[in-house]
Structures are given as structure tokens and as C-alpha cells.
Amino acid sequence: MFQLDSHPSGRHFLQIPGPTNVPDRVLRAIDQPTIDHRGPEFARLTFEILEGLKEVFQTAGPVIIYPASGTGAWEAALVNTLSAGDRVLMFETGHFATLWRALAEKLGLVVDFVPGDWRSGIDAALVEAKLAEDRAHMIKAVLAVHNETSTGVMSRIPPIRQAIDRVGHPALLMVDTISSLGSIDYRHEAWGVDVTVGGSQKGLMLPPGLSFNAVSDKAIAASKHARLPRAYWRWDEMLTMNRQGYFPSTPATNLLYGLHESIAMLREEGLPAVFSRHARHAEATRRAVRGWGLEVLCRDPDKYSNTLTAVMMPDGHDADAFRRAVLAQFDMSLGTGLGKLAGRVFRIGHLGFFNDLMLCGTLCGVEMGLALQDVPHGRNGVGEALAHLRETTTTTTTTEQRRAA
Ligand SMILES: Cc1ncc(COP(=O)(O)O)c(C=O)c1O
């Protein structure tokens, strides 16, 4: 077996904003014999998962599953709906918006990329202004990253939908929910999204390797006329085979066992409880950051992410040196600064399979790391977080009580 670095005793703290900690229940589900993906048991598995995913994406429409990382689902969203030379509107919210833009350009799309400061979300007024200028309807899609994993800034989707509708623009709306799905309230259908891109390795508590497109009728209609070359990513072949409980090529059988289990876990806890757990942990984390006298990267409290917090390092201190010290001393991985934030921020992931005491351990590790690295900081970060957890504790329903309900 591949030898991991030695973790002397106790569990490693994986507090990057994805991949996240995989629950033992999910690991055990994955650790079952691989079955015939053309057999009858498999069709039952597929049907149950496809129904469960609709609840997670909050849609009655189809959700397509790819054995691919999130980048594959980005590509699938574009090649199924657009043609070479089509214009798309995007916003520079951070590293992942920048990567999606680069992918779109490699496919031959023309991207109108509205510059941003990597500390703010998408301004719906700008969406409206850009689309109002486009009287000839040359823009075929608006692409938004719901939760920017590189910055901890969440863009609100309903105001973007309303902006598109106010100017009566026919552009498709595509949203990346890779670090929000299953953690922050997201409603594919009610919010009028045409393609939602998701991934397995964050709120769904699975290892990396699966990604998703939830699609609207309008997106499916667009796919009939889109001319970008596509073969593996074709929605039509997927949808046809899925209707019988199968996939056009060999699916990731064991990851699907895991997905079946993680959907069960989300159902047992209940999505509203999952969302409020994430909101509470995120608020406790921000209080800790303020208690340390450090700054949260996100400028706008209305756009704080509930799945991760990006923390700015004081001038003269390298965020990566800090992260290395925390890993070496406390066996905890924190998220690195990506792109132009390299060395300037570290990110605390507080999503997925996570509870109060895991948050406490995480914040203690950060506070002790700041002291270890002589980073000037206030001493009461953990105390502030604990006070918030104490004030907002509600009686937890046990799994048995939830199952019985
Ligand atoms: C918001 C967002 N979009 C896209 C991606 C790319 O996904 P992947 O690395 O799984 O291909 C990530 C990865 O972390 C992400 O956080």
C-alpha cells in the first residue's frame, strides 16, 4: 500500500476547503465489491442516486453524473450548450472564475471577463448593465461561480437571475457550485439556473472523482443546436442511458456507492440543518479571526462564504510558511493562497463532515500556529468562537431520532 506521511497519533486534520473529510460510513460504503454495471442491482443504485441528487440540487429536472473532477463538469456545461465564437459573460471573482474562463477560451468561446478585486462577489447591477448593452443578444451565457473557493466570497444567484430577466436577455445562466453544494442553500430550479456544475469532494463528503451537471429544459433545448465538438461529455447519450439505470461508459461504481451513502447522510440530517450547521461554524470562524486581530479576505458581510474563510496574513509574514508550521507541528492541513493570493492568505475549510469539536480543534491549531510562528495576533480568537458556539447551541437530534421521525 502507498505509505502516507507518518501521522504519529490521532487523526490528521484535513481543513482545506476540499477535498474534505470523508465519513467512515462513506468509506465503508465504497469498500464493497464492485458489481456489474450492466446488471439489475446497478440500475436500482442509479435510480436511487439520480432521485437523491435532485433533492441535493433542489430540482425536479435531470442531474448528469460524470466520472471526472469538477473541471470536467465545467467543460461539459460549455460544450453541450455553446458553439465556437459564442460570447459568454464572466466575472473575475477569484482563481476558479479565472480557470473557468481559461477553459472557455481554450474551447474557442469569446469571454467578456469583468475584472474584479478577488475580495467581492458578482455585482448584479453590472450583469444587468452588460446585458442591457448587448441588444443583438450576442452573449449566449452568463457564467457565475457561486462560492469562490479561492477567496471565501459567495455571489448571490437570485439577483443575477433577476438582472437577466429585467432586461429580457435570453442568455443561459450557468453556476459553479463546487464548494457550496450540500453546504450552502442552493436552488437550481427555483433560482432559474440552466446548468449547475457540482463536484463530489466538498459538501458531498466524497473523495474527488465525480462531478455533475444539473440541467434545465432550456439548456437541453440549447444542446440540440450547440456545435462545439463533444463526444464523452454528451448529455443526450447520458440521459438516454440513465433512463434505463445505466451509463454510456463504465461508471465509477464504488464512488457511486459512496454517493448513495452521502445522500442518505444529508437526508438524515436534513438540508436546512446542514445549511445552518455550516452558517454557524462559519460565523464562529470569522469571530475567531477578528479575535486574532486578523482580516477576513471577503469585504462584504453579505457575501461571506459558509464553507471556508480566507484569512489575510499580516504584512511581512508568509502564509505558506505558517501553513507548513501548522502541518509539521499539529498535523493539520490548511488551504493555501491560490493564484495572486499565494503567500498572502491561508484558508480554513469548515465544510462537509464537520462538527463543533472539529471546529474547535481547527481553530486551536491556527491559534497555536500563529504563536509558534510569531505572527502578531490577539489571544482571544478561540475564546470568541467558543462563545458563539455556546450561545447558539441547540439540542441536537440524534441519528436514531431523525430516522424515526
Ligand atoms: C469553485 C471551484 N470550481 C472548480 C473547481 C475545479 O474542480 P476540480 O479541481 O475538481 O477539477 C474547484 C476546485 O476546487 C472549485 O473549488
Side-chain angles (χ1 to χ4, degrees), residues 240-318:
T240 305
M241 291 296 287
N242 282 178
R243 275 193 280 277
Q244 298 151 45
Y246 302 108
F247 292 82
S249 56
T250 313
T253 308
N254 291 55
L255 282 178
L256 294 176
Y257 295 154
L259 178 57
H260 189 271
E261 193 64 18
S262 74
I263 291 171
M265 290 178 72
L266 291 173
R267 274 191 181 135
E268 283 164 23
E269 186 173 358
L271 281 182
V274 171
F275 301 148
S276 49
R277 170 167 57 82
H278 282 82
R280 182 166 165 269
H281 288 157
E283 178 57 27
T285 304
R286 291 188 293 267
R287 288 183 187 215
V289 175
R290 282 185 220 115
W292 295 320
L294 301 180
E295 202 180 337
V296 172
L297 181 68
C298 178
R299 281 188 205 281
D300 177 358
D302 187 47
K303 307 253 168 48
Y304 283 148
S305 165
N306 283 344
T307 56
L308 75 131
T309 302
V311 184
M312 294 175 76
M313 243 3 211
D315 285 345
H317 293 269
D318 176 11

Side-chain angles (χ1 to χ4, degrees), residues 17-19 68-74 96-97 99-100 145-150 176-180 197-202 208-211 338 347:
S69 83
T71 305
W74 266 349
F96 290 103
L99 288 181
W100 200 7
V145 176
H146 182 216
N147 188 72
E148 243 305 343
T149 324
S150 59
D176 169 339
T177 64
I178 287 177
S179 60
S180 52
V197 173
S200 58
Q201 72 271 30
K202 307 201 191 234
L210 294 178
S211 55
L338 293 169
R347 294 170 301 146

Side-chain angles (χ1 to χ4, degrees), residues 32-144:
Q32 288 188 79
T34 304
I35 55 169
D36 174 10
H37 61 287
R38 310 276 180 212
E41 282 173 295
F42 195 89
R44 192 161 50 82
L45 175 72
T46 306
F47 289 135
E48 288 183 15
I49 288 174
L50 292 177
E51 277 315 297
L53 280 177
K54 289 181 184 177
E55 285 172 40
V56 177
F57 282 86
Q58 304 197 50
T59 180
V63 181
I64 289 155
I65 309 173
Y66 294 108
S69 83
T71 305
W74 266 349
E75 178 161 342
L78 303 181
V79 295
N80 276 288
T81 52
L82 299 168
S83 304
D86 278 355
R87 280 182 60 195
V88 300
L89 177 61
M90 295 190 74
F91 295 83
E92 189 196 355
T93 47
H95 186 64
F96 290 103
T98 306
L99 288 181
W100 200 7
R101 171 218 187 157
L103 184 144
E105 287 179 339
K106 284 179 207 156
L107 293 172
L109 301 170
V110 179
V111 182
D112 186 348
F113 199 54
V114 179
D117 64 0
W118 290 41
R119 298 189 67 178
S120 319
I122 298 172
D123 178 357
L126 258 179
V127 177
E128 186 165 344
K130 283 277 178 187
L131 294 181
E133 272 169 22
D134 178 37
R135 289 199 188 80
H137 295 168
M138 300 300 285
I139 295 173
K140 301 299 176 199
V142 176
L143 274 47

Side-chain angles (χ1 to χ4, degrees), residues 154-176:
M154 185 199 64
S155 291
R156 295 201 175 266
I157 303 304
I160 298 176
R161 175 77 260 168
Q162 287 149 18
I164 299 172
D165 292 346
R166 255 196 306 276
V167 291
H169 199 289
L172 295 165
L173 175 59
M174 303 195 198
V175 181
D176 169 339

